Amino acid sequence: MAQQIQPEAGAAGAPEAGPKQRSTRVVLMALMIAMLLAMLDNMIVGTAMPTIVGDLGGMAHLSWVVTAYTLATAASTPIWGKLGDMYGRKGAFLSSIVVFLAGSALSGMAQGMGQLIGFRAIQGLGAGGLIVGVMAIIGELIPPRERGKYQGMMAGVMGIAMIGGPLVGGSITDHLGWRWSFYINLPLGAVALAMVTAVLHLPKKKSKPKIDYLGTVLLTVGITSIVLVTTWGGTEYAWGSARIMELIALGVASLVGFFFVETKAAEPIVPLHIFRSRNFSLMAAIAFITGFVMFGAVLFLPLYQQSVQGASATNSGLLLLPMLLSMTVVSLFAGRVTTSTGRYKAFPIVGSVLMVTGLYLLSTMDTGTTRLTSGLYMAILGAGMGCLLQITMLVAQNSVEMKDIGVGSSTSTLARTLGSSFGVAIMGALFNSRVQDEMTARGGAGVTQASAQLDAASLAKLPVPLREAYQHAVSSGTHGAFVLGAAVALGAVLASLFVKEVPLRGAGPKPSDAGPAVVPGESAGDPAPAPAPVESAGGSAPAPAETAAAPTVRERV
């Protein structure tokens, strides 16, 4: 096993940068495929669900097909991040791909709804490692100064998944059958697995850390309880029911116990010292709020456009195109600007202000709002989220030491995931309440909460007074949901004002032709990496050596 030091930019031997750039591009392509798998799966499966129920039966357990996946993903996210920090990023990432593909293959072969739910949980376990692995590997391969443009590409993948998922899912289900909604992951995952195995070279971890079993169990129970409360509350069980109260008590007790255990553990699953960084804590809060707003918008905008504006549900992903296209373009722009200037504080501020503005404008929509107007409002919201999605991850990673970049990435990802759970639950509860009240007030009690998913074709069959009452009710419901979203998003504006612009690691003179550097490893024989500009409780202090010209190491096996 030999290690080779990469020459400084412009030094002799720089021509070797060409192959390294190509290798980096291959790795990034594999990472994008893995990210696409994680983001695309629920979109495709959601479209296939009616066919799955028709084949397997088990309508009463339909929601668990999605819930099992979501629970497993959320619960495993911090665990995968810590495994990468302890045992090596590459091994953890490859393992998550294998678990995800195994779950996909088993889901495609399921012979009953019970089997499908169990196999979806396995798939979700792997998915939790895919997203965290992608972000952590980018964090280890590429200095923060260069990282923005690559993470912007990942936001583009998210947009593609949200737009193309329903279209791909519908086409696969119609022409190949619902089982191929899962089997389609296998060739894509195999390509990513082969590319990462062949090209990605990262230093191996040679320590033998102690595993924080108790902390892992407590965190898993706590996250599971939170997700179940937000999933079941107001739907399966009333918010004040004994079951919801029990889950809340269990979740609170588990998380309190988790924080106590983490202060004593030798290798905590989530080192609490990372929250001493003001920037990291602020980015986690902004990520939570972004998830709250984003997934609430994704849920209610198509419903409004189908119910009030008469849009077809067939191409439901295209209804979100103004928001997702704006989000993707702005995210790429923000990444490029951050790379070229090293400055980033403006993006959280501008992004959160645009997010509040977009949500407020969306709350003003009524039964007379045109598709062009709603599209413009969505574009403003998308631009705000584009400023925030990847910058929050970039700043979070820059706020922790390299040895904690896995847990830093997973904590930020988990914050966004939990935010989406709360957003869908709370905004959904408010929406349903407003729809019910409005229908009752307008004498349209025949259309209740249970029928709040009427499509344009079903609405056309309703009597005119009932149809108009329902459209006004949906308009009122979306108004309430987006007003709540705007109020929550004000928290992101406040948090962004306190962000301190700590210089990005590697933010010195950019190398001319050297391509993205490979971060030094922590294995024996590696030169020590340059200290990172990590914040302390009393402020931040840039490291003395913060230039991209410092020698870096690639371990070749």
Side-chain angles (χ1 to χ4, degrees):
M1 185 180 296
Q3 293 176 334
Q4 180 174 342
I5 296 179
Q6 180 177 315
E8 297 184 11
E16 191 181 39
K20 288 188 177 181
Q21 281 184 317
R22 286 192 294 272
S23 295
T24 302
R25 284 195 291 267
V26 172
V27 171
L28 288 171
M29 180 63 68
L31 297 181
M32 290 176 70
I33 292 173
M35 177 69 83
L36 186 63
L37 288 174
M39 298 300 302
L40 199 61
D41 189 76
N42 259 343
M43 299 292 177
I44 292 178
V45 173
T47 308
M49 282 310 300
T51 306
I52 293 174
V53 172
D55 189 12
L56 298 182
M59 180 68 180
H61 305 294
L62 173 64
S63 63
W64 273 104
V65 176
V66 176
T67 302
Y69 181 90
T70 304
L71 275 176
T73 301
S76 64
T77 293
I79 298 173
W80 283 113
K82 185 62 178 180
L83 288 175
D85 286 341
M86 291 194 304
Y87 297 110
R89 207 77 56 208
K90 180 177 179 178
F93 185 57
L94 291 176
S95 298
S96 70
I97 295 178
V98 170
V99 172
F100 181 83
L101 295 182
S104 298
L106 291 170
S107 296
M109 294 185 289
Q111 299 301 309
M113 190 60 76
Q115 289 183 10
L116 180 60
I117 291 170
F119 296 151
R120 284 282 285 166
I122 296 174
Q123 196 182 21
L125 288 175
L130 291 181
I131 299 175
V132 173
V134 167
M135 293 302 177
I137 288 173
I138 289 177
E140 190 158 338
L141 283 178
I142 301 168
R145 176 67 177 260
E146 301 291 328
R147 199 178 299 159
K149 59 185 178 183
Y150 296 105
Q151 290 185 337
M153 293 163 60
M154 298 303 163
V157 171
M158 183 184 297
I160 291 172
M162 290 183 175
I163 295 170
L167 299 175
V168 173
S171 179
I172 289 175
T173 303
D174 290 341
H175 296 92
L176 299 175
W178 68 265
R179 295 183 186 277
W180 278 95
S181 297
F182 300 104
Y183 291 151
I184 192 64
N185 294 328
L186 301 181
L188 292 174
V191 170
L193 197 63
M195 293 168 71
V196 171
T197 301
V199 180
L200 180 62
H201 301 288
L202 294 173
K204 290 183 172 62
K205 310 288 184 179
K206 296 188 176 181
S207 60
K208 293 183 178 179
K210 297 179 180 178
I211 299 176
D212 180 17
Y213 292 107
L214 181 56
T216 300
V217 171
L218 290 172
L219 181 61
T220 301
V221 172
I223 293 173
T224 301
S225 300
I226 290 172
V227 175
L228 285 177
V229 167
T230 56
T231 302
W232 286 349
T235 55
E236 297 288 328
Y237 303 95
W239 283 105
S241 66
R243 180 60 54 87
I244 296 298
M245 292 297 103
E246 289 168 358
L247 284 172
I248 291 175
L250 178 61
V252 170
S254 298
L255 292 178
V256 169
F258 166 75
F259 286 118
F260 175 77
V261 168
E262 295 306 272
T263 61
K264 309 294 183 181
E267 282 285 349
I269 195 74
V270 178
L272 299 183
H273 66 78
I274 62 177
F275 292 101
R276 294 175 187 166
S277 165
R278 182 171 72 184
N279 274 5
F280 183 86
S281 298
L282 291 172
M283 288 301 114
I286 294 174
F288 179 92
I289 293 170
T290 304
F292 187 105
V293 168
M294 180 177 177
F295 287 91
V298 168
L299 175 65
F300 295 111
L301 282 172
L303 179 59
Y304 169 84
Q305 291 190 308
Q306 292 172 41
S307 301
V308 179
Q309 296 181 328
S312 169
T314 304
N315 298 325
S316 57
L318 296 178
L319 300 175
L320 299 173
L321 187 59
M323 182 181 75
L324 298 175
L325 186 60
S326 173
M327 180 185 75
T328 301
V329 171
V330 172
S331 183
L332 290 170
F333 171 78
R336 292 284 180 179
V337 171
T338 302
T339 295
S340 61
T341 66
R343 309 300 294 272
Y344 56 81
K345 181 173 181 177
F347 290 111
I349 297 174
V350 172
S352 54
V353 169
L354 285 174
M355 192 162 64
V356 172
T357 303
L359 289 165
Y360 170 75
L361 291 173
L362 288 171
S363 75
T364 65
M365 296 189 303
D366 55 26
T367 55
T369 304
T370 65
R371 293 189 191 181
L372 176 60
T373 301
S374 61
L376 290 174
Y377 295 167
M378 282 191 282
I380 294 173
L381 175 60
M385 291 190 296
C387 288
L388 296 173
L389 278 177
Q390 303 307 320
I391 293 297
T392 53
M393 179 65 72
L394 172 64
V395 178
Q397 289 180 337
N398 193 61
S399 302
V400 299
E401 299 177 27
M402 185 58 64
K403 68 182 179 65
D404 292 326
I405 201 165
V407 293
S409 301
S410 65
T411 302
S412 181
T413 302
L414 179 62
R416 187 180 302 167
T417 301
L418 293 179
S420 68
S421 294
F422 277 93
V424 170
I426 298 174
M427 293 173 76
L430 180 59
F431 171 85
N432 289 328
S433 175
R434 293 290 292 266
V435 168
Q436 290 279 72
D437 293 345
E438 190 71 16
M439 288 301 298
T440 301
R442 291 178 177 269
V447 180
T448 63
Q449 175 181 344
S451 55
Q453 298 294 330
L454 291 175
D455 57 21
S458 301
L459 281 171
K461 299 176 183 178
L462 293 176
V464 173
L466 193 57
R467 181 171 68 245
E468 291 180 349
Y470 180 68
Q471 289 174 335
H472 279 93
V474 170
S475 178
S476 175
T478 53
H479 167 78
F482 286 125
V483 166
L484 173 63
V488 172
L490 286 173
V493 177
L494 182 63
S496 64
L497 294 175
F498 290 93
V499 173
K500 182 170 292 187
E501 194 163 58
V502 179
L504 297 175
R505 289 193 290 265
K510 290 176 62 180
S512 56
D513 296 306
V518 178
V519 174
E522 297 174 70
S523 59
D526 284 351
V534 180
E535 290 181 89
S536 64
S540 60
E546 286 186 291
T547 65
T552 56
V553 176
R554 173 178 294 243
E555 180 179 67
R556 301 192 180 279
V557 178

